[in-house]
Amino acid sequence: MDTAYLSTSPATATSGASPLVSVRRVSKQFANGTLAVRDVDLDLGAGEFISLLGPSGCGKSTLLRMIAGLANPSTGTIEWNGAASDGASGGRPDLGFVFQDPTLMPWANALSNVMLPLTLKHVPKREAAERAAEMLALVGLKGFEKSYPRELSGGMKMRVSIARALVMRPKILLMDEPFAALDEITRHRLNDDLLQLWWKERFTAVFVTHSVFESVYLSQRIVVMAARPGRVMADFAVDAPYPRDDLFRTSADYASLCRLASGRLKEAIGS
Ligand SMILES: Nc1ncnc2c1ncn2[C@@H]1O[C@H](COP(=O)(O)OP(=O)(O)OP(=O)(O)O)[C@@H](O)[C@H]1O
């Protein structure tokens, strides 16, 4: 992928502007009585890179799925650009969602997998193929258009999944532990490539992770959650410029930011 992204901090357009998404006193109780999320208030600014960090079972995925409209809050509201979502698609702009599993169609090649959202929107086949090929190139898979999922590595499959999520050029990309199943080297590479994509495409990124290291490396802002019931315990900025690369990953600044985030997470779990 193109490594020449600029060394200034991305314009997040958050200061003074109204947030892209406002989560207000949102709770989710499942039919079996589990209170997965309680009273969450959260603003997501346009262009921000935000991580939801917390232990297993603290409601990160449930919150992300509610933001995506894949589940409805039991109480509270989620507003998009000031318009309340009706639980279907009301007020919600195009969004991309990346699951932990790449969820590709095994019988279709990489290009057809990425074309799927365009095909569903009846974009003419030729245009869809061009846009999908462009997106595959952006995620570093030029030359693999005709490869089937079984011929791709875990990291490559995840790249296809990200290309599919971004092919509609959504305003927001929601990612639910997309790299958790990958080895460390692949994960680091995908983290780097994701940051470059974010820089280029300027979408709002919401990234669910268990990993302090990953959240600090990627994010401008970390929202720490705790379990039983799932709730927000801390919300703080990661004060380090972009680009973030291997130099940052081995720096004293990164180590101290990880220590800080780790302390916040421990406090959250402890409480
Ligand atoms: N469909 C469901 N029905 C009942 N309980 C559920 C359902 N989905 C999730 N839960 C419960 O809600 C709580 C929050 O789950 P959720 O998956 O959102 O947490 P998480 O922080 O994403 O966890 P992990 O990091 O392990 O994926 C958990 O106690 C979970 O068991």
Side-chain angles (χ1 to χ4, degrees):
M1 290 180 70
D2 178 12
T3 53
Y5 74 123
L6 304 174
S7 62
T8 46
S9 193
T12 60
T14 51
S15 49
S18 66
L20 179 66
V21 184
S22 301
V23 177
R24 290 286 170 269
R25 299 211 62 161
V26 159
S27 299
K28 176 73 177 179
Q29 184 155 32
F30 287 105
N32 66 0
T34 305
L35 188 54
V37 170
R38 190 186 70 191
D39 281 343
V40 168
D41 280 306
L42 194 63
D43 282 340
L44 309 177
E48 271 193 305
F49 200 122
I50 301 153
S51 281
L52 302 181
L53 173 69
S56 194
C58 71
K60 306 181 293 297
S61 299
T62 302
L63 180 57
L64 200 72
R65 290 171 59 81
M66 288 193 287
I67 293 171
L70 298 171
N72 289 325
S74 305
T75 56
T77 58
I78 298 179
E79 294 187 352
W80 288 83
N81 282 326
S85 167
D86 63 4
S89 62
R92 193 178 291 116
D94 276 344
L95 56 84
F97 199 101
V98 179
F99 297 88
Q100 184 168 345
D101 187 273
T103 61
L104 302 179
M105 301 179 290
W107 61 88
N109 65 25
L111 189 75
S112 302
N113 268 287
V114 177
M115 281 169 68
L116 178 68
L118 298 163
T119 310
L120 292 174
K121 293 263 179 193
H122 308 293
V123 173
K125 200 170 169 190
R126 195 189 166 114
E127 185 195 334
E130 273 170 21
R131 284 169 63 180
E134 191 187 322
M135 210 60 233
L136 277 171
L138 260 182
V139 299
L141 285 182
K142 196 172 171 52
F144 291 92
E145 295 82 0
K146 296 206 164 116
S147 301
Y148 285 85
R150 65 176 177 278
E151 299 167 329
L152 300 172
S153 69
M156 291 161 103
K157 280 190 269 216
M158 195 44 83
R159 285 172 194 272
V160 176
S161 176
I162 292 171
R164 184 184 52 194
L166 287 177
V167 77
M168 301 296 290
R169 301 280 150 107
K171 279 208 174 90
I172 184 162
L173 182 65
L174 306 168
M175 293 165 278
D176 195 356
E177 299 191 62
F179 309 142
L182 302 175
D183 66 82
E184 194 174 314
I185 295 168
T186 307
R187 191 170 178 158
H188 282 181
R189 199 170 298 144
L190 279 165
N191 282 166
D192 288 341
D193 291 349
L194 174 62
L195 282 184
Q196 287 172 32
L197 271 175
W198 169 62
W199 173 262
K200 266 200 194 127
E201 302 288 312
R202 306 298 178 98
F203 47 81
T204 301
V206 186
F207 191 95
V208 163
T209 181
H210 289 120
S211 164
V212 168
F213 302 105
E214 191 171 43
S215 65
V216 170
Y217 188 73
L218 292 173
S219 323
Q220 292 175 305
R221 190 177 145 205
I222 297 177
V223 174
V224 177
M225 295 180 69
R228 279 175 289 279
R231 62 216 188 273
V232 171
M233 302 299 293
D235 183 341
F236 58 95
V238 178
D239 190 15
Y242 294 86
R244 298 186 186 163
D245 50 20
D246 275 341
L247 217 58
F248 176 59
R249 210 179 247 122
T250 50
S251 69
D253 280 351
Y254 177 59
S256 85
L257 286 164
C258 287
R259 224 174 0 257
L260 177 89
S262 188
R264 298 281 177 100
L265 183 62
K266 269 196 195 124
E267 274 170 33
I269 296 170
S271 65

